Amino acid sequence: MVTLRALTLDDAPALTRIYSGASVRHTTGRALPLDQAQEKIRSALARAAETPRAQWSWGILAADEMIGLIALRRRSPVMGTISYILREDTWGNGYATDAAQQVVAFAFTTAGLDRVEAMHHPANPASGRVLAKAGFTRTGTTDQPAGDGAVVPYEAYAIQCD
């Protein structure tokens, strides 16, 4: 359904479109300007060159168009976390679920992880459905700081390697 590929600097305009509108409502709340998109890609490319590797970032492509971003971060030798964001006009098509399943398979087979965790804002239940469809199990909540100093109880999920 979707293809994952490494980011390139040419992806910056697509990244600014992904990080805009409703897509950022439960992240930073702000659109990503072109210069910050370029810096985000440069940072991902630098992390790709690190040994040992602690983070992988992929563009999510549907019909050869970049519609999202997904990342896997190693948090310990055997545990990682994933995060993803899709352009709002692509929501509801199963793209995030497909991308998450691909990254989990990569985490267990290539990155050598035994467990992958994820979380989502409580006002974004669609992201919880994505994680459940991708095989994750809800494990509870984890308090995350909000921009205004408040604490938000994010929904926490995990999947174990069989």
Side-chain angles (χ1 to χ4, degrees), residues 78-151:
V78 295
M79 193 276 288
T81 59
I82 67 165
S83 60
Y84 50 86
I85 185 169
L86 287 182
R87 220 175 52 210
E88 69 179 293
D89 65 330
T90 66
W91 294 351
N93 293 299
Y95 299 144
T97 301
D98 187 21
Q101 289 170 329
Q102 290 183 50
V103 171
V104 166
F106 174 89
F108 294 157
T109 61
T110 305
L113 302 178
D114 293 337
R115 179 180 174 96
V116 177
E117 298 178 354
M119 63 182 165
H120 72 84
H121 193 281
N124 185 9
S127 195
R129 290 189 297 275
V130 164
L131 293 168
K133 289 177 186 174
F136 285 76
T137 301
R138 187 176 178 280
T139 59
T141 60
T142 182
D143 290 341
Q144 296 294 310
D148 60 2
V151 174

Side-chain angles (χ1 to χ4, degrees), residues 1-88:
M1 183 179 297
V2 297
T3 303
L4 304 183
R5 70 157 169 77
L7 299 172
T8 70
L9 282 174
D10 291 338
D11 293 326
L15 208 54
T16 63
R17 186 167 175 215
I18 292 162
Y19 280 88
S20 66
S23 293
V24 296
R25 182 180 312 132
H26 302 298
T27 60
T28 62
R30 297 181 313 272
L32 188 69
L34 185 61
D35 63 324
Q36 290 178 11
Q38 292 166 332
E39 184 52 38
K40 188 173 191 69
I41 293 168
R42 281 189 198 95
S43 179
L45 294 173
R47 285 191 203 104
E50 293 175 349
T51 304
R53 190 148 177 194
Q55 182 171 330
W56 295 261
S57 297
W58 298 274
I60 302 171
L61 282 75
D64 295 324
E65 181 181 11
M66 192 165 127
I67 61 162
L69 179 71
I70 190 164
L72 171 66
R73 291 169 186 84
R74 184 184 302 275
R75 300 298 187 186
S76 79
V78 295
M79 193 276 288
T81 59
I82 67 165
S83 60
Y84 50 86
I85 185 169
L86 287 182
R87 220 175 52 210
E88 69 179 293

